[in-house]
Amino acid sequence: MTNILNSYIKGRWFQAETGFKDILSAIDSTVVAKISSAGIHFGEVIDYAKKVGGANLRKMTFHQRADVLKKIALHLDANKEKLYTLAFQTGATKRDSWPDIDGGIITLFAYSSRARKELPDKTFVVEGPSERLSKNQTFSGQHILTSREGVAVHINAFNFPCWGLLEKLAPAFLAGIPVITKPATATAYVAEALMKLIVESGALPDGALQFICGDTGDLLDRLDGQDIVSFTGSAHTAELLQQNPSIARNAIRFIAERDSLNAAILGSDANKDSPEFANFIKEVTREMTAKAGQKCTAIRRIIVPQAYLDDVTSALKQSLSKYIPGNPASKESSMGLLVSKKQRNDVIQAIRQLQSEAEIVYGSLENIDDKSAALSPVLLSCSEPLKATVIHHVEAFGPVATLMPYKTTEEAIELVKKGEGSLVASIYTYDDRFANALTFGIAPYHGRLYFIDRDSKDEATGHGSPLPALVHGGPGRAGGGEEMAGIRGIFHYMQRTALQASPKRLTKLLGEWSYGGDQTVTEEHPFRRDFDGLEIGDTIRTKERTITLDDIEHFANFTGDTFYAHMDEEAAAANPFFPGRVAHGYLLLSFAAGLFVDPLPGPLLANYGIDNLRFLKPVSPGDAIHVRLTVKEKRAARNPEYGEVRWDAEIFNQNEETVARYNLLTMSSRQPAL
Ligand code: NAP
C-alpha cells in the first residue's frame, strides 16, 4: 500500500486528495511515498499558529518550555529505531543517519538543559547589566528580550530530515514562537514519521508546531513583521524566497543556511609522516563519503601545499578505494547512496562543470548503476586554483571534492576566501604561525574554524558536525545565517528592546533589582529569610570594620599571599596603582563576608559563587569598610526544596566610595509545598 504523507495542521492530521508527487527510493527507485499539500488553507494555518500556538507558548516560562522539549526528546529516543529503518530508503546507512536522528535528539536534550540552567523561570530575558544613563542614578537603560507574536516558518533541506527539523524547532520553541515546518520532499517520509512521534509524545502544546508535507502555497505571501523565516537549502532557492515581496516589504527576519564550499587546509609543516597529515586524510575521506557527501558542511575544496600534492593525492586515492556505495541497509556497505537518481544527475552535471578547470584523479563517471542512486567518490585536482572560478563556486552535492595546491600561506588564505563565505573550514597544522595566519586571514569568511592536531585528534568532534553549543552558519555564500550557538540561537527568535526608565521602574517591571533601585533595609537579617520570604530589594547594610596593617600581615602570612603590594611600602608606592601598602582584594571579600554573615544555621544553605567581581579602589591600612548587600534576583531551582538568590554586593570605604562590587550567589531553602 502506498504511503500517502499527511500534514499536521490545526491540531489534526490532514491528507490531501489531489496533486500528489511520487517520492522514489534511493535503493531501487520504487515509490516510497506520495506527497501533496493541496487543499491546505495557509491563512488558517498561520492564524491557528498565532492565536492558539503563540498564546499557549507565551503563557509558559522558559523552564516549562524546556521540560516539554525534554519530554519529546525522551519519547523520540525510545522510538528512534523506526526512523533509522525508514532512512535506509533515503540512501543513508545507519552510520550516516546517526547525526540526523540521534544528533537531532541530542540537540533537543542540549537545548532543554541549557534553557533550564541559563534562562530564568520567566517568559522574558533581562540581557546584560543595566546601563547608567544619569549622574544621580535616576535614569538607566536595560535590554530585554520578549517572544515575538508571529510564527516561525522553517523550510528544511532533504539531507537532514530529523536534525534539520529539531535543531530549528528547539530554539524557536524555547523562544515562545509557534513553528510551521516544511520538510524537503525527497525525504519527507522520514520527517513525517518524526512528526508522528512528536505528536504521539503528547507533550506538544496546541498550535506550537504544524507540519506541511508538500508545497508551501501562499504561506510566505501571508507573513508579517512579527514572523521569521528560517531556510536551509540551496543558494538558488534561498535567493528566490528572499525576493518574496512580503518578506521584503515587512522586513521579515530571514535566516538562511545555504550551500557552502567548505575547505580543508593542510599546513605547510604537515608532511606525510606527521600526525596532522594522517588526520587530514582521514577527515577528508570521511567528509567525502559520509552521507555520500550530501552534507552542507562537507569538505569540497582540499587545499594542500604544492610540495605535498602527490603524497596527498596518492593517500586519498588509497583511502577512498575502501568506500564502495551499496545498499544502505546492509552492514557490508562501506558507503550509502545519493538520495535519488535525480540528485545523482545533478551531481554528475556539477562534476562536468568542475572538469572545465580540474581533472578527475580518482573515480569515474562511467558505468553508473542504473537501478540505485549510487555514486562512487570522485576526486578532482586543479593545477591553477588561483586562476579558477568554477571550482570555488559550483557545489557538487555528493561524494566529490577538488584538490587545490598552494605555494605560500598567503596563497592558501586567498584560495579559501575564493569560496566567498563558508560554514566551516578545517586546518591541519602544528605550526603556530600557520595556525595564526589562517585564523585571522579566514575567520571573517566563516562561521566555524576547526583545528586538528596531535593534541586534539582523539577528542575532536569532527569537521562536519555542527554542535548545539556552537554557531552553525556562515557569511556570504553560506547564507549569512546563524543557528544554535547555545542560548544565542534562542535570541534570534526574540525581540530585543532597550528600556529606559528610573531604576525603581525597571526593578518593578523586570522583577529584578536594578542598580539605584529601592532598597528595603529590614530589621530581620535577610539570611534568616527563606527563598520565598525574600523580596527583591531586601538589603542589609553592615557596620564598619577598620583594616589594620596587622590584619594585612596576618592575612598575608596565613594564606601565603605575600605579594609586595601588601608587604613592602616602598615597592608598593612605586606601583602605578597603589598609594603604598594595600589590603588584599581577597581580604576585603573575606572581611565583607565576616560583616554580613549570619552565623547560626538557618534558611541560607550555601554560597556557590561570585560573578562579575571588580576591585575598584585600593584600601589602605586605617581605611574602614562596610558592605551593602541587596537581593537582586531569585531563581527557583529544579529541586523544590531550595532556590538560587543573586545578591548585589558593594563594599565601600569610609568616604562612601565603592572599593569592590560583585554578585554573590547563594542557595536558600524553600517552604515545603502544602
Ligand atoms: P533546495 O532544493 O533548495 O530545497 C530546500 C527546501 O526549500 C526544500 O524544503 C524545498 O522543498 C524548499 N523549496 C524549494 N522551492 C521552494 C519554494 N518556491 N517555496 C518554498 N519552499 C521551497 O535544497 P535541497 O536540495 O533540499 O538541499 C540541498 C542543498 O541544501 C545543498 O545545496 C546544501 O548545501 C544545502 N544545505 C545547507 C545547509 C546549511 O546548514 N547551510 C544544510 C543542509 C543543506 P521541496 O523539496 O518540496 O522542493
Side-chain angles (χ1 to χ4, degrees), residues 155-160 182-186 216 220 231-234 237 240-241 257-260 296 395 397 423 472 478:
I155 299 179
N156 292 315
F158 75 78
N159 53 345
F160 286 104
K182 171 197 155 27
T185 294
T216 49
L220 298 186
F231 167 84
T232 299
S234 61
T237 312
L240 189 87
L241 301 188
E257 299 296 348
R258 311 192 313 204
D259 45 298
S260 154
C296 53
E395 182 199 40
F397 202 59
L423 297 169
H472 175 62

PDB file of all heavy atoms in Angstrom, residues 155-160 182-186 216 220 231-234 237 240-241 257-260 296 395 397 423 472 478, ligand 1:
ATOM      1  N   ILE A 155      11.914  25.998   6.712  1.00  0.00           N
ATOM      2  CA  ILE A 155      11.959  25.238   5.453  1.00  0.00           C
ATOM      3  C   ILE A 155      13.280  24.475   5.438  1.00  0.00           C
ATOM      4  O   ILE A 155      14.354  25.079   5.534  1.00  0.00           O
ATOM      5  CB  ILE A 155      11.849  26.192   4.245  1.00  0.00           C
ATOM      6  CG1 ILE A 155      10.514  26.939   4.322  1.00  0.00           C
ATOM      7  CG2 ILE A 155      11.976  25.408   2.933  1.00  0.00           C
ATOM      8  CD1 ILE A 155      10.280  27.939   3.220  1.00  0.00           C
ATOM      9  N   ASN A 156      13.194  23.159   5.348  1.00  0.00           N
ATOM     10  CA  ASN A 156      14.393  22.336   5.540  1.00  0.00           C
ATOM     11  C   ASN A 156      14.896  21.669   4.266  1.00  0.00           C
ATOM     12  O   ASN A 156      14.125  21.429   3.345  1.00  0.00           O
ATOM     13  CB  ASN A 156      14.103  21.259   6.583  1.00  0.00           C
ATOM     14  CG  ASN A 156      13.916  21.873   7.956  1.00  0.00           C
ATOM     15  OD1 ASN A 156      14.690  22.744   8.364  1.00  0.00           O
ATOM     16  ND2 ASN A 156      12.877  21.480   8.649  1.00  0.00           N
ATOM     17  N   ALA A 157      16.182  21.338   4.291  1.00  0.00           N
ATOM     18  CA  ALA A 157      16.803  20.641   3.154  1.00  0.00           C
ATOM     19  C   ALA A 157      16.576  19.132   3.293  1.00  0.00           C
ATOM     20  O   ALA A 157      16.224  18.646   4.367  1.00  0.00           O
ATOM     21  CB  ALA A 157      18.291  20.943   3.128  1.00  0.00           C
ATOM     22  N   PHE A 158      16.817  18.400   2.211  1.00  0.00           N
ATOM     23  CA  PHE A 158      16.493  16.966   2.225  1.00  0.00           C
ATOM     24  C   PHE A 158      17.470  16.133   3.037  1.00  0.00           C
ATOM     25  O   PHE A 158      17.167  15.025   3.468  1.00  0.00           O
ATOM     26  CB  PHE A 158      16.419  16.421   0.786  1.00  0.00           C
ATOM     27  CG  PHE A 158      17.761  16.239   0.125  1.00  0.00           C
ATOM     28  CD1 PHE A 158      18.559  15.142   0.419  1.00  0.00           C
ATOM     29  CD2 PHE A 158      18.239  17.175  -0.793  1.00  0.00           C
ATOM     30  CE1 PHE A 158      19.802  14.973  -0.182  1.00  0.00           C
ATOM     31  CE2 PHE A 158      19.476  17.018  -1.393  1.00  0.00           C
ATOM     32  CZ  PHE A 158      20.266  15.910  -1.076  1.00  0.00           C
ATOM     33  N   ASN A 159      18.696  16.669   3.238  1.00  0.00           N
ATOM     34  CA  ASN A 159      19.742  15.778   3.753  1.00  0.00           C
ATOM     35  C   ASN A 159      19.645  15.495   5.253  1.00  0.00           C
ATOM     36  O   ASN A 159      20.220  14.530   5.725  1.00  0.00           O
ATOM     37  CB  ASN A 159      21.130  16.317   3.384  1.00  0.00           C
ATOM     38  CG  ASN A 159      21.321  17.743   3.816  1.00  0.00           C
ATOM     39  OD1 ASN A 159      20.362  18.435   4.140  1.00  0.00           O
ATOM     40  ND2 ASN A 159      22.557  18.197   3.840  1.00  0.00           N
ATOM     41  N   PHE A 160      18.941  16.362   6.012  1.00  0.00           N
ATOM     42  CA  PHE A 160      18.776  16.093   7.445  1.00  0.00           C
ATOM     43  C   PHE A 160      17.305  16.213   7.830  1.00  0.00           C
ATOM     44  O   PHE A 160      16.903  17.190   8.459  1.00  0.00           O
ATOM     45  CB  PHE A 160      19.640  17.054   8.272  1.00  0.00           C
ATOM     46  CG  PHE A 160      21.098  16.715   8.222  1.00  0.00           C
ATOM     47  CD1 PHE A 160      21.977  17.455   7.444  1.00  0.00           C
ATOM     48  CD2 PHE A 160      21.593  15.633   8.936  1.00  0.00           C
ATOM     49  CE1 PHE A 160      23.325  17.122   7.373  1.00  0.00           C
ATOM     50  CE2 PHE A 160      22.933  15.291   8.871  1.00  0.00           C
ATOM     51  CZ  PHE A 160      23.800  16.036   8.090  1.00  0.00           C
ATOM     52  N   LYS A 182       8.374  22.809   7.218  1.00  0.00           N
ATOM     53  CA  LYS A 182       8.185  22.106   5.941  1.00  0.00           C
ATOM     54  C   LYS A 182       9.443  21.300   5.628  1.00  0.00           C
ATOM     55  O   LYS A 182      10.521  21.854   5.452  1.00  0.00           O
ATOM     56  CB  LYS A 182       7.950  23.117   4.817  1.00  0.00           C
ATOM     57  CG  LYS A 182       7.975  22.420   3.460  1.00  0.00           C
ATOM     58  CD  LYS A 182       8.159  23.361   2.315  1.00  0.00           C
ATOM     59  CE  LYS A 182       8.764  22.719   1.078  1.00  0.00           C
ATOM     60  NZ  LYS A 182       8.560  21.309   0.841  1.00  0.00           N
ATOM     61  N   PRO A 183       9.307  19.967   5.547  1.00  0.00           N
ATOM     62  CA  PRO A 183      10.467  19.155   5.157  1.00  0.00           C
ATOM     63  C   PRO A 183      10.655  19.201   3.649  1.00  0.00           C
ATOM     64  O   PRO A 183       9.710  19.498   2.909  1.00  0.00           O
ATOM     65  CB  PRO A 183      10.049  17.749   5.590  1.00  0.00           C
ATOM     66  CG  PRO A 183       8.559  17.734   5.456  1.00  0.00           C
ATOM     67  CD  PRO A 183       8.086  19.152   5.745  1.00  0.00           C
ATOM     68  N   ALA A 184      11.862  18.889   3.190  1.00  0.00           N
ATOM     69  CA  ALA A 184      12.091  18.763   1.747  1.00  0.00           C
ATOM     70  C   ALA A 184      11.371  17.517   1.259  1.00  0.00           C
ATOM     71  O   ALA A 184      11.296  16.506   1.976  1.00  0.00           O
ATOM     72  CB  ALA A 184      13.586  18.652   1.475  1.00  0.00           C
ATOM     73  N   THR A 185      10.869  17.576   0.043  1.00  0.00           N
ATOM     74  CA  THR A 185      10.064  16.471  -0.489  1.00  0.00           C
ATOM     75  C   THR A 185      10.822  15.142  -0.500  1.00  0.00           C
ATOM     76  O   THR A 185      10.287  14.109  -0.087  1.00  0.00           O
ATOM     77  CB  THR A 185       9.590  16.843  -1.913  1.00  0.00           C
ATOM     78  OG1 THR A 185       8.695  17.946  -1.777  1.00  0.00           O
ATOM     79  CG2 THR A 185       8.886  15.690  -2.594  1.00  0.00           C
ATOM     80  N   ALA A 186      12.089  15.169  -0.938  1.00  0.00           N
ATOM     81  CA  ALA A 186      12.817  13.916  -1.185  1.00  0.00           C
ATOM     82  C   ALA A 186      12.877  12.983   0.019  1.00  0.00           C
ATOM     83  O   ALA A 186      12.929  11.761  -0.137  1.00  0.00           O
ATOM     84  CB  ALA A 186      14.228  14.233  -1.664  1.00  0.00           C
ATOM     85  N   THR A 216       4.438  25.027  -0.226  1.00  0.00           N
ATOM     86  CA  THR A 216       4.005  25.970   0.811  1.00  0.00           C
ATOM     87  C   THR A 216       2.961  26.959   0.290  1.00  0.00           C
ATOM     88  O   THR A 216       2.574  27.891   1.021  1.00  0.00           O
ATOM     89  CB  THR A 216       5.209  26.748   1.380  1.00  0.00           C
ATOM     90  OG1 THR A 216       5.973  27.242   0.276  1.00  0.00           O
ATOM     91  CG2 THR A 216       6.071  25.881   2.252  1.00  0.00           C
ATOM     92  N   LEU A 220       4.211  32.095   2.414  1.00  0.00           N
ATOM     93  CA  LEU A 220       5.166  33.191   2.614  1.00  0.00           C
ATOM     94  C   LEU A 220       4.536  34.549   2.299  1.00  0.00           C
ATOM     95  O   LEU A 220       4.888  35.565   2.913  1.00  0.00           O
ATOM     96  CB  LEU A 220       6.427  32.977   1.767  1.00  0.00           C
ATOM     97  CG  LEU A 220       7.242  31.723   2.078  1.00  0.00           C
ATOM     98  CD1 LEU A 220       8.537  31.710   1.287  1.00  0.00           C
ATOM     99  CD2 LEU A 220       7.563  31.593   3.560  1.00  0.00           C
ATOM    100  N   PHE A 231      15.451  29.214   6.634  1.00  0.00           N
ATOM    101  CA  PHE A 231      15.527  28.352   5.452  1.00  0.00           C
ATOM    102  C   PHE A 231      16.854  27.611   5.416  1.00  0.00           C
ATOM    103  O   PHE A 231      17.906  28.193   5.693  1.00  0.00           O
ATOM    104  CB  PHE A 231      15.396  29.230   4.190  1.00  0.00           C
ATOM    105  CG  PHE A 231      15.770  28.492   2.931  1.00  0.00           C
ATOM    106  CD1 PHE A 231      14.844  27.688   2.284  1.00  0.00           C
ATOM    107  CD2 PHE A 231      17.048  28.579   2.399  1.00  0.00           C
ATOM    108  CE1 PHE A 231      15.190  26.983   1.130  1.00  0.00           C
ATOM    109  CE2 PHE A 231      17.403  27.890   1.242  1.00  0.00           C
ATOM    110  CZ  PHE A 231      16.463  27.085   0.606  1.00  0.00           C
ATOM    111  N   THR A 232      16.835  26.340   5.034  1.00  0.00           N
ATOM    112  CA  THR A 232      18.062  25.602   4.738  1.00  0.00           C
ATOM    113  C   THR A 232      17.902  24.952   3.375  1.00  0.00           C
ATOM    114  O   THR A 232      16.901  24.275   3.127  1.00  0.00           O
ATOM    115  CB  THR A 232      18.323  24.510   5.792  1.00  0.00           C
ATOM    116  OG1 THR A 232      18.461  25.146   7.062  1.00  0.00           O
ATOM    117  CG2 THR A 232      19.607  23.758   5.500  1.00  0.00           C
ATOM    118  N   GLY A 233      18.863  25.160   2.517  1.00  0.00           N
ATOM    119  CA  GLY A 233      18.789  24.565   1.189  1.00  0.00           C
ATOM    120  C   GLY A 233      19.776  25.228   0.263  1.00  0.00           C
ATOM    121  O   GLY A 233      20.784  25.795   0.703  1.00  0.00           O
ATOM    122  N   SER A 234      19.463  25.190  -1.019  1.00  0.00           N
ATOM    123  CA  SER A 234      20.423  25.694  -1.999  1.00  0.00           C
ATOM    124  C   SER A 234      20.377  27.223  -2.075  1.00  0.00           C
ATOM    125  O   SER A 234      19.366  27.854  -1.721  1.00  0.00           O
ATOM    126  CB  SER A 234      20.096  25.104  -3.361  1.00  0.00           C
ATOM    127  OG  SER A 234      18.800  25.522  -3.733  1.00  0.00           O
ATOM    128  N   THR A 237      17.383  28.497  -4.225  1.00  0.00           N
ATOM    129  CA  THR A 237      16.052  28.596  -3.606  1.00  0.00           C
ATOM    130  C   THR A 237      16.024  29.751  -2.598  1.00  0.00           C
ATOM    131  O   THR A 237      15.032  30.490  -2.521  1.00  0.00           O
ATOM    132  CB  THR A 237      15.673  27.264  -2.904  1.00  0.00           C
ATOM    133  OG1 THR A 237      15.932  26.188  -3.790  1.00  0.00           O
ATOM    134  CG2 THR A 237      14.235  27.238  -2.483  1.00  0.00           C
ATOM    135  N   LEU A 240      15.496  32.967  -4.300  1.00  0.00           N
ATOM    136  CA  LEU A 240      14.112  33.065  -4.777  1.00  0.00           C
ATOM    137  C   LEU A 240      13.178  33.478  -3.635  1.00  0.00           C
ATOM    138  O   LEU A 240      12.363  34.405  -3.769  1.00  0.00           O
ATOM    139  CB  LEU A 240      13.705  31.678  -5.305  1.00  0.00           C
ATOM    140  CG  LEU A 240      12.400  31.581  -6.040  1.00  0.00           C
ATOM    141  CD1 LEU A 240      12.674  31.892  -7.522  1.00  0.00           C
ATOM    142  CD2 LEU A 240      11.840  30.150  -5.929  1.00  0.00           C
ATOM    143  N   LEU A 241      13.324  32.812  -2.490  1.00  0.00           N
ATOM    144  CA  LEU A 241      12.411  33.081  -1.374  1.00  0.00           C
ATOM    145  C   LEU A 241      12.641  34.471  -0.795  1.00  0.00           C
ATOM    146  O   LEU A 241      11.696  35.157  -0.401  1.00  0.00           O
ATOM    147  CB  LEU A 241      12.574  32.029  -0.266  1.00  0.00           C
ATOM    148  CG  LEU A 241      12.325  30.568  -0.657  1.00  0.00           C
ATOM    149  CD1 LEU A 241      12.337  29.666   0.558  1.00  0.00           C
ATOM    150  CD2 LEU A 241      10.993  30.412  -1.387  1.00  0.00           C
ATOM    151  N   GLU A 257      20.528  29.222   5.638  1.00  0.00           N
ATOM    152  CA  GLU A 257      21.681  28.310   5.681  1.00  0.00           C
ATOM    153  C   GLU A 257      21.766  27.689   4.306  1.00  0.00           C
ATOM    154  O   GLU A 257      20.946  26.847   3.953  1.00  0.00           O
ATOM    155  CB  GLU A 257      21.467  27.219   6.743  1.00  0.00           C
ATOM    156  CG  GLU A 257      21.314  27.724   8.162  1.00  0.00           C
ATOM    157  CD  GLU A 257      22.550  28.407   8.679  1.00  0.00           C
ATOM    158  OE1 GLU A 257      23.608  28.302   8.041  1.00  0.00           O
ATOM    159  OE2 GLU A 257      22.452  29.093   9.708  1.00  0.00           O
ATOM    160  N   ARG A 258      22.749  28.146   3.511  1.00  0.00           N
ATOM    161  CA  ARG A 258      22.793  27.697   2.114  1.00  0.00           C
ATOM    162  C   ARG A 258      24.005  26.810   1.870  1.00  0.00           C
ATOM    163  O   ARG A 258      24.766  26.508   2.766  1.00  0.00           O
ATOM    164  CB  ARG A 258      22.871  28.923   1.201  1.00  0.00           C
ATOM    165  CG  ARG A 258      21.838  29.976   1.525  1.00  0.00           C
ATOM    166  CD  ARG A 258      21.729  31.017   0.463  1.00  0.00           C
ATOM    167  NE  ARG A 258      23.002  31.531   0.022  1.00  0.00           N
ATOM    168  CZ  ARG A 258      23.166  32.728  -0.548  1.00  0.00           C
ATOM    169  NH1 ARG A 258      22.114  33.496  -0.718  1.00  0.00           N
ATOM    170  NH2 ARG A 258      24.342  33.133  -0.942  1.00  0.00           N
ATOM    171  N   ASP A 259      24.173  26.474   0.588  1.00  0.00           N
ATOM    172  CA  ASP A 259      25.319  25.634   0.286  1.00  0.00           C
ATOM    173  C   ASP A 259      26.611  26.396   0.501  1.00  0.00           C
ATOM    174  O   ASP A 259      26.640  27.616   0.553  1.00  0.00           O
ATOM    175  CB  ASP A 259      25.249  25.106  -1.137  1.00  0.00           C
ATOM    176  CG  ASP A 259      24.870  26.147  -2.143  1.00  0.00           C
ATOM    177  OD1 ASP A 259      23.746  26.677  -2.012  1.00  0.00           O
ATOM    178  OD2 ASP A 259      25.660  26.432  -3.033  1.00  0.00           O
ATOM    179  N   SER A 260      27.677  25.640   0.615  1.00  0.00           N
ATOM    180  CA  SER A 260      28.921  26.248   1.065  1.00  0.00           C
ATOM    181  C   SER A 260      30.064  25.364   0.587  1.00  0.00           C
ATOM    182  O   SER A 260      29.979  24.142   0.667  1.00  0.00           O
ATOM    183  CB  SER A 260      28.796  26.303   2.589  1.00  0.00           C
ATOM    184  OG  SER A 260      29.997  26.301   3.245  1.00  0.00           O
ATOM    185  N   CYS A 296      25.924  19.741   4.186  1.00  0.00           N
ATOM    186  CA  CYS A 296      26.231  21.149   3.914  1.00  0.00           C
ATOM    187  C   CYS A 296      27.634  21.501   4.378  1.00  0.00           C
ATOM    188  O   CYS A 296      28.261  22.410   3.871  1.00  0.00           O
ATOM    189  CB  CYS A 296      25.213  22.028   4.610  1.00  0.00           C
ATOM    190  SG  CYS A 296      25.057  21.645   6.360  1.00  0.00           S
ATOM    191  N   GLU A 395      28.792  23.754  -6.385  1.00  0.00           N
ATOM    192  CA  GLU A 395      28.696  22.744  -5.339  1.00  0.00           C
ATOM    193  C   GLU A 395      28.178  21.442  -5.943  1.00  0.00           C
ATOM    194  O   GLU A 395      27.038  21.382  -6.405  1.00  0.00           O
ATOM    195  CB  GLU A 395      27.715  23.210  -4.249  1.00  0.00           C
ATOM    196  CG  GLU A 395      27.603  22.230  -3.094  1.00  0.00           C
ATOM    197  CD  GLU A 395      26.355  22.424  -2.249  1.00  0.00           C
ATOM    198  OE1 GLU A 395      25.282  22.683  -2.824  1.00  0.00           O
ATOM    199  OE2 GLU A 395      26.466  22.319  -1.019  1.00  0.00           O
ATOM    200  N   PHE A 397      26.824  18.349  -4.826  1.00  0.00           N
ATOM    201  CA  PHE A 397      26.318  17.902  -3.518  1.00  0.00           C
ATOM    202  C   PHE A 397      26.295  16.373  -3.454  1.00  0.00           C
ATOM    203  O   PHE A 397      25.250  15.731  -3.456  1.00  0.00           O
ATOM    204  CB  PHE A 397      24.920  18.496  -3.304  1.00  0.00           C
ATOM    205  CG  PHE A 397      24.518  18.562  -1.854  1.00  0.00           C
ATOM    206  CD1 PHE A 397      25.261  19.278  -0.933  1.00  0.00           C
ATOM    207  CD2 PHE A 397      23.378  17.907  -1.406  1.00  0.00           C
ATOM    208  CE1 PHE A 397      24.900  19.337   0.398  1.00  0.00           C
ATOM    209  CE2 PHE A 397      22.996  17.967  -0.076  1.00  0.00           C
ATOM    210  CZ  PHE A 397      23.762  18.679   0.821  1.00  0.00           C
ATOM    211  N   LEU A 423      30.487  27.619   5.799  1.00  0.00           N
ATOM    212  CA  LEU A 423      30.049  27.243   7.142  1.00  0.00           C
ATOM    213  C   LEU A 423      31.247  26.921   8.020  1.00  0.00           C
ATOM    214  O   LEU A 423      31.304  27.297   9.185  1.00  0.00           O
ATOM    215  CB  LEU A 423      29.159  25.997   7.063  1.00  0.00           C
ATOM    216  CG  LEU A 423      27.861  26.162   6.297  1.00  0.00           C
ATOM    217  CD1 LEU A 423      27.211  24.813   6.051  1.00  0.00           C
ATOM    218  CD2 LEU A 423      26.920  27.061   7.076  1.00  0.00           C
ATOM    219  N   HIS A 472      26.219  27.652  14.062  1.00  0.00           N
ATOM    220  CA  HIS A 472      26.155  26.972  12.767  1.00  0.00           C
ATOM    221  C   HIS A 472      25.634  27.996  11.773  1.00  0.00           C
ATOM    222  O   HIS A 472      24.560  28.566  11.955  1.00  0.00           O
ATOM    223  CB  HIS A 472      25.217  25.767  12.837  1.00  0.00           C
ATOM    224  CG  HIS A 472      25.029  25.100  11.505  1.00  0.00           C
ATOM    225  ND1 HIS A 472      26.079  24.531  10.816  1.00  0.00           N
ATOM    226  CD2 HIS A 472      23.936  24.929  10.720  1.00  0.00           C
ATOM    227  CE1 HIS A 472      25.630  24.030   9.674  1.00  0.00           C
ATOM    228  NE2 HIS A 472      24.336  24.267   9.585  1.00  0.00           N
ATOM    229  N   ALA A 478      27.357  31.147   2.184  1.00  0.00           N
ATOM    230  CA  ALA A 478      26.740  30.194   3.122  1.00  0.00           C
ATOM    231  C   ALA A 478      25.376  30.678   3.611  1.00  0.00           C
ATOM    232  O   ALA A 478      24.699  29.955   4.338  1.00  0.00           O
ATOM    233  CB  ALA A 478      27.678  29.933   4.288  1.00  0.00           C
TER     234      ALA A 478
HETATM  235  P1  NAP B   1      16.572  23.047  -2.123  1.00  0.00           P
HETATM  236  O1  NAP B   1      16.219  22.369  -3.372  1.00  0.00           O
HETATM  237  O2  NAP B   1      16.991  24.452  -2.181  1.00  0.00           O
HETATM  238  O3  NAP B   1      15.320  22.874  -1.164  1.00  0.00           O
HETATM  239  C1  NAP B   1      15.350  23.312   0.163  1.00  0.00           C
HETATM  240  C2  NAP B   1      13.949  23.452   0.702  1.00  0.00           C
HETATM  241  O4  NAP B   1      13.295  24.530   0.039  1.00  0.00           O
HETATM  242  C3  NAP B   1      13.089  22.224   0.462  1.00  0.00           C
HETATM  243  O5  NAP B   1      12.270  22.020   1.580  1.00  0.00           O
HETATM  244  C4  NAP B   1      12.261  22.626  -0.745  1.00  0.00           C
HETATM  245  O6  NAP B   1      11.060  21.945  -0.815  1.00  0.00           O
HETATM  246  C5  NAP B   1      12.032  24.085  -0.420  1.00  0.00           C
HETATM  247  N1  NAP B   1      11.618  24.883  -1.544  1.00  0.00           N
HETATM  248  C6  NAP B   1      12.067  24.839  -2.820  1.00  0.00           C
HETATM  249  N2  NAP B   1      11.437  25.776  -3.553  1.00  0.00           N
HETATM  250  C7  NAP B   1      10.581  26.410  -2.727  1.00  0.00           C
HETATM  251  C8  NAP B   1       9.633  27.461  -2.899  1.00  0.00           C
HETATM  252  N3  NAP B   1       9.464  28.045  -4.057  1.00  0.00           N
HETATM  253  N4  NAP B   1       8.902  27.854  -1.828  1.00  0.00           N
HETATM  254  C9  NAP B   1       9.054  27.261  -0.625  1.00  0.00           C
HETATM  255  N5  NAP B   1       9.939  26.260  -0.415  1.00  0.00           N
HETATM  256  C10 NAP B   1      10.692  25.846  -1.443  1.00  0.00           C
HETATM  257  O7  NAP B   1      17.733  22.263  -1.354  1.00  0.00           O
HETATM  258  P2  NAP B   1      17.846  20.693  -1.082  1.00  0.00           P
HETATM  259  O8  NAP B   1      18.133  20.055  -2.405  1.00  0.00           O
HETATM  260  O9  NAP B   1      16.714  20.181  -0.272  1.00  0.00           O
HETATM  261  O10 NAP B   1      19.123  20.624  -0.153  1.00  0.00           O
HETATM  262  C11 NAP B   1      20.419  20.602  -0.657  1.00  0.00           C
HETATM  263  C12 NAP B   1      21.073  21.947  -0.516  1.00  0.00           C
HETATM  264  O11 NAP B   1      20.925  22.413   0.805  1.00  0.00           O
HETATM  265  C13 NAP B   1      22.536  21.877  -0.772  1.00  0.00           C
HETATM  266  O12 NAP B   1      22.872  22.935  -1.628  1.00  0.00           O
HETATM  267  C14 NAP B   1      23.168  22.058   0.600  1.00  0.00           C
HETATM  268  O13 NAP B   1      24.427  22.664   0.598  1.00  0.00           O
HETATM  269  C15 NAP B   1      22.172  22.894   1.307  1.00  0.00           C
HETATM  270  N6  NAP B   1      22.216  22.697   2.746  1.00  0.00           N
HETATM  271  C16 NAP B   1      22.691  23.687   3.519  1.00  0.00           C
HETATM  272  C17 NAP B   1      22.744  23.513   4.905  1.00  0.00           C
HETATM  273  C18 NAP B   1      23.275  24.597   5.819  1.00  0.00           C
HETATM  274  O14 NAP B   1      23.108  24.472   7.014  1.00  0.00           O
HETATM  275  N7  NAP B   1      23.906  25.618   5.301  1.00  0.00           N
HETATM  276  C19 NAP B   1      22.300  22.326   5.475  1.00  0.00           C
HETATM  277  C20 NAP B   1      21.807  21.333   4.641  1.00  0.00           C
HETATM  278  C21 NAP B   1      21.767  21.532   3.275  1.00  0.00           C
HETATM  279  P3  NAP B   1      10.857  20.733  -1.854  1.00  0.00           P
HETATM  280  O15 NAP B   1      11.849  19.708  -1.506  1.00  0.00           O
HETATM  281  O16 NAP B   1       9.467  20.313  -1.612  1.00  0.00           O
HETATM  282  O17 NAP B   1      11.097  21.310  -3.208  1.00  0.00           O
END
